Amino acid sequence: MRSRRVQALVVLLLFGVVKLPIEQVVSAKMKEARMLQGSLDLGLWENLGQMGFAASLGGLRALVAGVTYMQAYVAFEDIEWAKVDSLFQLTSRLQPNDVSYWDEAAWHMAYNAASNYLHSDRVEPIMRGKLYHSHIERGIRILEDGLRYNPDNVRLLSRLGDIYSKRKLDPVKAGETYEKVSTFEGLERYGRFAAYEYLKTTDRELWKRSYELLMASYKRDGKKFPSVIDGIKELEKRLGIPFMQWIPEKGSGRGVVAPVQPMDLPATR
Amino acid sequence: METELKKIGGGFSVSRVWTMAAATVTQLVRMRILVFLVVLSAIVVAAGFMFPVFSAEQQLKMLKYVSFGALQFFSLVLAIVATALLLPKDIEDRTLYTILSKPVPRVEYLLGKFFGVMLLIGGGLLLMDVLLCAVLHLRQSLVLAQELAFLKQGHATAEELAVEAARIEAQGVGWSLQIGVLAVFLKAGVVTALALMISCFASSTLFTVITTFCVCIIGQGQELIREFFFHRTFDAAGEKIASGLFAVLVPDLRLFDVIDQVVAGDEVAGGAALFMTGAGLLYMAGYLVVAHLLFVEKEL
């Protein structure tokens, strides 16, 4: 009886020693395939409380993130922006690879919180603009953090471009971000968005880039977007494009059709 | 073991193991464990219609969070408690003596108990999976239709509609969801084998339940312990021995935590799923061998 117990203990220890390198390999392979997240940040203990932390350690991390997300939603309904921010921070740290949390947190800060402060009667007029801008900046920082965990994520990049374009009013950064998104397969349309942003700047080099992007879209897209044609027409003037290279006017199926270089447009329209 | 098999006049019999497994399922069903399954299934259905104020994508995610939480809870509680109850119950009812007095090797009895619990957990998970898929599909169709109608009212472009539709569809029923269920099943299998091993030397049911529960909690942090053991320079020999022992004795249960990725709507790589399955089977085999060694000469 005793010998069997000793045998069992020896087998258990041997099995344990054999499994260690296997566990290392399997864990690394699964992380490589993005099936496993990194270990839980022990610093979350204070924020999650004992129950939440234990549940997260117990394999219910996604469920705990769901609960903190719900708490954030309640805080949003109560218009408690600081709480929304901290709870979303907690949620996204629990599930850093779930981009929807980074996206939504940034949207809350850069759109909802910023606009709310700008029009709030409860805030001194002198502070409104400051809070508006600081929350837009917060939204940008959230997305940058999210991109550190999820490099080159299209959803986060396009949201960042939107915030630079519509909230921060920084067409250079918005254009650069949209251009980065346009390099992904099937998202060439973002090149058009980048071009619209570059068009807003006063930099001649960026106008040239805008012209290139719009012409690429004009040649590529079956449907000729009015905004693309307007943009190209505007840039033809700004950049002094030779008349021979102009594209036809919007909706000019008839009338004066400018001669088109073979390199730019199809021979017939 | 060979001598034992010769003594009872027969080799290993799959049909005997199957009979034992079927009897174990019946035994557990009689313990009204299925009531527990009904309650958790009701939670899955209810989760499908909760959180209506969230965005469409988040509504579906929350449904998956709650459902997978219920699946994990069901499988782990059953794996620990049902397994811990089996041996003491058989001894108490004296069924164990009746079985072992027949030409049934102890290994078959042990495997029968293990597969019985796994059958029950597998069946329960399958039922809840079917329910989850049905509720998720229904909910996804509803929110997709609502969202697209709303966007069309706001004159959204075809591109915007396509992006939103793709985002919602990524949260629907797919193969990655099934891999998530497989991960829950494998984790339950490892915990069942572990509980069975512990119950082979435990003095009471409570001891098995508490010890297995503790091992499960430590198992979730085993990766941290392993890293500590492999990469840390130790000041005290005691630290190295303690961390080494934990790393050796406890399984890494985090290997089965793919649910986070599944709920996020990410595709799960087939190769990585095979690694996970392999690890699960290895743990189960290892703990069952030790359980057999402990049980084969256990004084009953």
Side-chain angles (χ1 to χ4, degrees):
Chain A
M1 172 74 193
R2 190 174 293 277
S3 69
R4 283 288 187 179
R5 283 196 169 191
V6 173
Q7 249 181 37
L9 186 65
V10 171
V11 171
L12 185 63
L13 289 174
L14 277 175
F15 171 66
V17 172
V18 171
K19 81 178 172 60
L20 276 181
I22 298 174
E23 282 169 338
Q24 288 282 74
V25 172
V26 174
S27 176
K29 289 274 178 202
M30 290 179 72
K31 278 183 187 162
E32 206 177 283
R34 290 174 69 85
M35 266 176 82
L36 276 187
Q37 294 185 18
S39 302
L40 191 66
D41 181 0
L42 295 178
L44 293 179
W45 175 281
E46 284 175 20
N47 299 322
L48 282 175
Q50 283 185 17
M51 278 295 284
F53 193 77
S56 305
L57 274 181
L60 297 172
R61 198 159 147 179
L63 190 62
V64 176
V67 172
T68 55
Y69 173 79
M70 278 192 274
Q71 289 174 330
Y73 195 87
V74 173
F76 160 63
E77 286 182 323
D78 295 342
I79 322 175
E80 293 181 63
W81 299 117
K83 209 169 167 185
V84 171
D85 188 16
S86 72
L87 284 165
F88 261 110
Q89 210 174 332
L90 193 55
T91 312
S92 48
R93 281 176 75 191
L94 279 166
Q95 296 278 278
N97 295 332
D98 188 338
V99 288
S100 69
Y101 290 133
W102 298 104
D103 183 21
E104 196 167 331
W107 172 70
H108 274 306
M109 289 298 110
Y111 287 80
N112 298 334
S115 296
N116 183 258
Y117 280 120
L118 191 64
H119 303 291
S120 174
D121 295 335
R122 291 184 297 172
V123 179
E124 290 297 316
I126 198 166
M127 289 299 291
R128 288 178 195 167
K130 187 176 178 295
L131 284 167
Y132 172 77
H133 289 293
S134 66
H135 280 83
I136 290 172
E137 286 297 335
R138 176 72 193 126
I140 291 171
R141 274 204 308 281
I142 290 170
L143 290 172
E144 286 169 349
D145 283 345
L147 283 164
R148 266 193 285 281
Y149 285 100
N150 306 279
D152 294 334
N153 183 275
V154 171
R155 182 167 171 179
L156 296 183
L157 278 171
S158 63
R159 173 70 77 188
L160 187 63
D162 289 346
I163 294 179
Y164 277 132
S165 166
K166 298 178 180 69
R167 308 299 283 174
K168 184 104 187 326
L169 306 180
D170 184 339
V172 179
K173 283 196 172 165
E176 286 168 0
T177 315
Y178 283 143
E179 222 185 317
K180 194 170 179 185
V181 179
S182 74
T183 58
F184 292 91
E185 201 187 331
L187 294 169
E188 292 81 10
R189 65 181 183 279
Y190 277 86
R192 215 166 67 222
F193 303 161
Y196 299 148
E197 293 302 321
Y198 292 148
L199 199 57
K200 293 177 193 165
T201 67
T202 51
D203 187 336
R204 192 177 167 79
E205 288 305 310
L206 289 177
W207 291 350
K208 283 183 188 166
R209 181 71 190 132
S210 176
Y211 183 73
E212 284 168 17
L213 290 167
L214 287 177
M215 284 305 290
S217 165
Y218 185 84
K219 282 186 259 180
R220 186 184 57 238
D221 299 331
K223 183 185 167 191
K224 305 296 176 208
F225 292 96
S227 54
V228 171
I229 298 174
D230 286 344
I232 294 172
K233 287 302 201 192
E234 174 65 27
L235 286 164
E236 283 169 350
K237 285 179 209 153
R238 283 195 207 172
L239 294 169
I241 303 289
F243 181 72
M244 295 292 280
Q245 291 179 27
W246 283 17
I247 62 161
E249 289 290 343
K250 194 163 51 180
S252 63
R254 296 183 301 271
V256 182
V257 177
V260 174
Q261 293 291 313
M263 55 176 277
D264 288 326
L265 282 175
T268 52
R269 266 173 54 82
Chain B
M1 187 178 140
E2 207 177 311
T3 345
E4 186 194 355
L5 291 179
K6 278 179 190 160
K7 199 165 58 189
I8 59 171
F12 183 83
S13 160
V14 177
S15 67
R16 274 200 299 260
V17 173
W18 173 251
T19 310
M20 291 298 309
T24 307
V25 173
T26 314
Q27 187 184 5
L28 289 170
V29 168
R30 280 184 188 149
M31 288 180 191
R32 297 185 192 281
I33 273 168
L34 291 183
V35 176
F36 185 51
L37 182 70
V38 172
V39 172
L40 290 171
S41 300
I43 292 174
V44 173
V45 176
F49 301 93
M50 290 194 298
F51 329 112
V53 291
F54 292 169
S55 68
E57 187 187 8
Q58 290 299 350
Q59 281 183 45
L60 299 174
K61 275 188 183 174
M62 292 306 287
L63 165 60
K64 288 193 275 181
Y65 281 144
V66 175
S67 304
F68 269 105
L71 288 178
Q72 287 220 68
F73 188 71
F74 163 77
S75 60
L76 288 183
V77 169
L78 210 61
I80 297 174
V81 180
T83 314
L85 279 170
L86 285 176
L87 285 185
K89 185 97 173 91
D90 275 4
I91 293 172
E92 191 188 312
D93 297 347
R94 313 196 71 78
T95 332
L96 182 64
Y97 306 107
T98 318
I99 294 167
L100 294 182
S101 63
K102 292 187 165 58
V104 177
R106 288 191 181 199
V107 65
E108 286 179 10
Y109 171 81
L110 212 57
L111 284 176
K113 289 288 156 191
F114 173 74
F115 287 120
V117 176
M118 291 313 294
L119 266 175
L120 196 72
I121 292 175
L125 284 179
L126 195 68
L127 274 176
M128 287 172 82
D129 183 27
V130 169
L131 194 64
L132 166 64
C133 289
V135 174
L136 186 63
H137 181 70
L138 179 70
R139 195 78 195 114
Q140 187 208 21
S141 313
L142 283 173
V143 293
L144 184 63
Q146 282 171 357
E147 199 71 9
L148 293 184
F150 177 75
L151 286 174
K152 276 177 191 162
Q153 269 183 357
H155 305 291
T157 62
E159 281 169 355
E160 286 167 334
L161 290 174
V163 167
E164 192 56 27
R167 197 174 283 182
I168 294 172
E169 276 159 6
Q171 296 304 325
V173 179
W175 282 111
S176 64
L177 204 70
Q178 304 314 315
I179 292 180
V181 179
L182 172 71
V184 174
F185 180 70
L186 287 171
K187 192 178 191 175
V190 176
V191 174
T192 305
L194 199 63
L196 203 58
M197 183 187 85
I198 293 170
S199 74
C200 286
F201 65 85
S203 48
S204 69
T205 306
L206 195 62
F207 177 86
T208 309
V209 171
I210 292 173
T211 313
T212 315
F213 183 72
C214 289
V215 174
C216 286
I217 294 286
I218 299 168
Q220 288 295 141
Q222 199 260 16
E223 189 192 9
L224 290 173
I225 302 169
R226 208 172 59 234
E227 291 296 321
F228 187 80
F229 176 71
F230 277 125
H231 302 296
R232 170 103 189 255
T233 317
F234 294 90
D235 302 326
E239 270 185 358
K240 187 160 181 105
I241 293 168
S243 67
L245 264 180
F246 272 121
V248 162
L249 293 175
V250 176
D252 184 357
L253 293 180
R254 246 179 57 77
L255 294 179
F256 309 100
D257 282 353
V258 298
I259 292 155
D260 296 348
Q261 306 310 106
V262 170
V263 173
D266 294 344
E267 283 297 317
V268 176
L274 282 178
F275 272 108
M276 178 183 74
T277 310
L281 294 175
L282 178 78
Y283 283 131
M284 285 181 233
Y287 293 128
L288 284 175
V289 167
V290 180
H292 170 67
L293 288 172
L294 289 167
F295 188 64
V296 77
E297 283 189 9
K298 187 179 167 81
E299 282 172 19
L300 299 166

